[in-house]
Amino acid sequence: MSFKIGSSEKHYVSGKVKQFLVASVASIGIFGLGNVLAYTSPALPSMENNYLGNETISTEIKSWIASIAMLGALISSPVAGICVDQLGRKNSMLIFTAPFILGWLLISNSHKLHVLLIGRFLTGFCGGAFSLAVPVYISEISEPKIRGALTSLFQVMMVLGILFTYIVGSYLPWNDLAFISAFVPGLSLFLLPFVPQTPRYLLRSGKSMQAGRSLHWLRNSEYISQTELEIELLQIEQSIEDSHEETPKFIDVFKTHLLKPIVISLSLMVFRQMSGFHAIIFFIGGIFQAAGSPLDSNTSSTIVGSVQVLATIVSSVLVDRLGRRILLVSSQIVMILSLCGLGAFFFIKEGELHHRLDAVYVGYLRWLPLLCILTFIIGFNIGVGPLSWTLMGELLPPNVKGACSSISTALAWICAFLVTKNFDTVALALGVSSCFWIFSGFGFIGLISIYLTVPETKGKSLEDIQQIFKKKEVGHTLSSSHVISQQHI
């Protein structure tokens, strides 16, 4: 898209600033999701020191306090998918803010375990709903040149939420931390009414005038010509009409142009969660304690959270310059090496080799877990962490986006629940080293899958991305027809 009217770069920048501000407001709910994910790391030790009523916090109870939020996120996926399609992206986010607040208030005022678990379930449910709605919303309000950077706000806000929880949780008990966390969805509830609906949703709803106004505001109509805005609206409208004409039956999903982007999106979510990220974030204090780290768990967690934020910001800057593929491949390689290092450390510590090593040498190794976790966090947050969600919003065809987004998000939370719930169990049965080697194995499979299947989407409109898969299917069909014709000849 060229910009022909006006001479001031200031106006062009202000259009980008508007999109950034709108995406930031939408992503506040993802900051809240980061609070949910990180909550158990500082909260569980606090609960052990400040008893939850008269109930003992056993290992099994800890695993449920951690993992039930993932179960809530899983169950929210189909609900959020329906809401996103039927009620709109903005309205869906607004709907989930009130129960989000309620969940945190239940946790902060809980004196019984079942009340705490209900609160954790609710916060996971609402955080999971935001994880589906926000990428779709941001991808539809962004222009192609900055869409990658804006959708990376998802991960930036999540890691900021995680860091916030680590820092505040090191000073406050579990119930006060929950109360403070309730202000985050409260801020969403206050600000979301001021952001526009996406032009695509408004056009789908038959509100063409409102869609035009929304696009004019987002692109800054003072600097972009009326003709260019009308062309963009016509492109969106044509894409919607095509998707209505191509509303797929179940059997149609197996056509290449639909099946391939769906499978890529699903596989990215699986490999993202099976990287072990959630196990590390949920139990990071316990991991450092088990490793005998020279730093206390709160300090280590804060360092990790800070590195997460920096790595994610770097990723958001690079994603529209280097592209998605190179960041994804680099991310997988760094994570695999880091997880192998963690596995090797715990293998030495758990086995007889530990007793044969010189005490000084073992002392040096105590820094290895922190180093490996930091490099893992950097690897995760420059690639697979943010870009799995980015590519979900970009790759999925518009006529199946709601349903497939909910399936993709549900699959992500199933994996997150299984990893979080069973990490301690597997670690006790097979050793902590085995857990990290299993994660590294999934990382290697993910590396091969990404290299072979994920297309580059940098700088492409959502309509152009769909044409990539349609052209491949047409090419395959023509090739097959040619072969059949040759056989008849």
Side-chain angles (χ1 to χ4, degrees), residues 67-79:
S67 62
I68 198 169
M70 304 298 96
L71 200 58
L74 162 63
I75 294 172
S76 76
S77 297
V79 178

Side-chain angles (χ1 to χ4, degrees), residues 168-201:
V168 175
S170 64
Y171 296 101
L172 295 179
W174 60 272
N175 50 340
D176 290 343
L177 176 60
F179 181 75
I180 293 295
S181 300
F183 284 92
V184 175
L187 185 61
S188 283
L189 183 62
F190 176 73
L191 292 177
L192 278 173
F194 298 101
V195 304
Q197 291 276 15
T198 70
R200 179 178 291 271
Y201 170 73

Side-chain angles (χ1 to χ4, degrees), residues 101 282 298 370 457:
I101 296 168
F282 274 66
N298 285 333
L370 179 59
T457 61

Side-chain angles (χ1 to χ4, degrees), residues 148 151-152 155 268-269 272 315 319 323-328 331 380-394:
T151 50
S152 292
Q155 190 74 9
L268 283 172
M269 284 299 177
R272 181 187 193 276
S315 173
V319 66
R324 281 62 157 159
R325 277 179 58 85
I326 190 170
L327 290 177
L328 283 170
S331 169
F380 182 87
N381 286 286
I382 64 168
V384 70
L387 294 181
S388 298
W389 299 103
T390 298
L391 287 165
M392 183 182 79
E394 291 181 337

Side-chain angles (χ1 to χ4, degrees), residues 157-469:
M157 294 297 276
M158 187 171 74
V159 298
L160 282 172
I162 290 171
L163 177 61
F164 174 86
T165 300
Y166 285 161
I167 294 173
V168 175
S170 64
Y171 296 101
L172 295 179
W174 60 272
N175 50 340
D176 290 343
L177 176 60
F179 181 75
I180 293 295
S181 300
F183 284 92
V184 175
L187 185 61
S188 283
L189 183 62
F190 176 73
L191 292 177
L192 278 173
F194 298 101
V195 304
Q197 291 276 15
T198 70
R200 179 178 291 271
Y201 170 73
L202 291 169
L203 281 173
R204 280 186 58 200
S205 304
K207 301 175 181 177
S208 55
M209 292 294 292
Q210 290 174 257
R213 285 196 293 269
S214 174
L215 190 64
H216 279 221
W217 187 85
L218 288 165
R219 299 294 185 265
N220 191 8
S221 58
E222 294 178 16
Y223 194 54
I224 301 176
S225 70
Q226 181 71 22
T227 301
E228 288 173 307
L229 287 168
E230 288 176 357
I231 289 172
E232 185 172 358
L233 274 174
L234 285 172
Q235 288 175 337
I236 297 171
E237 193 167 15
Q238 184 61 50
S239 173
I240 293 169
E241 287 176 4
D242 290 345
S243 70
H244 284 322
E245 291 174 4
E246 300 171 5
T247 301
K249 301 173 184 176
F250 177 75
I251 192 67
D252 292 334
V253 173
F254 294 96
K255 291 182 178 179
T256 303
H257 78 278
L258 290 177
L259 182 62
K260 190 168 183 180
I262 292 169
V263 170
I264 292 171
S265 180
L266 292 175
S267 63
L268 283 172
M269 284 299 177
V270 170
F271 294 125
R272 181 187 193 276
Q273 307 298 25
M274 297 308 293
S275 69
F277 173 76
H278 283 103
I280 290 173
I281 293 301
F282 274 66
F283 300 108
I284 193 167
I287 292 171
F288 283 124
Q289 188 177 7
S293 172
L295 300 176
D296 68 84
S297 60
N298 285 333
T299 302
S300 300
S301 300
T302 302
I303 291 171
V304 169
S306 302
V307 170
Q308 274 200 106
V309 173
L310 292 174
T312 307
I313 291 171
V314 170
S315 173
S316 67
V317 172
L318 295 178
V319 66
D320 282 321
R321 299 184 181 185
L322 299 182
R324 281 62 157 159
R325 277 179 58 85
I326 190 170
L327 290 177
L328 283 170
V329 170
S330 302
S331 169
Q332 289 295 120
I333 292 171
V334 171
M335 288 194 299
I336 291 166
L337 295 175
S338 303
L339 290 166
C340 286
L342 280 169
F345 171 83
F346 280 102
F347 178 76
I348 292 170
K349 190 173 187 300
E350 293 162 354
E352 292 184 4
L353 186 58
H354 171 259
H355 302 294
R356 300 177 187 174
L357 292 175
D358 183 82
V360 176
Y361 187 63
V362 174
Y364 284 126
L365 284 179
R366 291 168 63 200
W367 289 98
L368 186 59
L370 179 59
L371 176 62
C372 287
I373 287 178
L374 288 177
T375 54
F376 171 85
I377 290 297
I378 291 170
F380 182 87
N381 286 286
I382 64 168
V384 70
L387 294 181
S388 298
W389 299 103
T390 298
L391 287 165
M392 183 182 79
E394 291 181 337
L395 295 180
L396 291 176
N399 51 333
V400 295
K401 184 171 283 188
C404 289
S405 293
S406 64
I407 293 170
S408 184
T409 306
L411 187 60
W413 293 120
I414 288 172
C415 294
F417 171 75
L418 292 174
V419 168
T420 308
K421 180 69 178 68
N422 295 302
F423 179 77
D424 272 348
T425 304
V426 175
L428 288 171
L430 303 177
V432 179
S433 59
S434 298
C435 292
F436 291 118
W437 281 336
I438 291 169
F439 293 145
S440 66
F442 276 104
F444 182 72
I445 298 170
L447 174 62
I448 296 171
S449 173
I450 287 167
Y451 183 79
L452 294 177
T453 65
V454 177
E456 183 55 70
T457 61
K458 181 185 75 169
K460 293 181 172 67
S461 69
L462 297 180
E463 291 70 33
D464 289 339
I465 293 168
Q466 294 310 308
Q467 289 303 316
I468 293 173
F469 299 108

Side-chain angles (χ1 to χ4, degrees), residues 67-113:
S67 62
I68 198 169
M70 304 298 96
L71 200 58
L74 162 63
I75 294 172
S76 76
S77 297
V79 178
I82 293 169
C83 290
V84 163
D85 272 346
Q86 301 300 320
L87 304 178
R89 289 66 164 134
K90 171 185 170 180
N91 293 339
S92 297
M93 292 186 287
L94 270 169
I95 286 169
F96 291 109
T97 54
F100 210 160
I101 296 168
L102 176 62
W104 283 120
L105 294 179
L106 285 174
I107 295 171
S108 68
N109 292 286
S110 60
H111 299 289
K112 292 291 182 180
L113 178 62

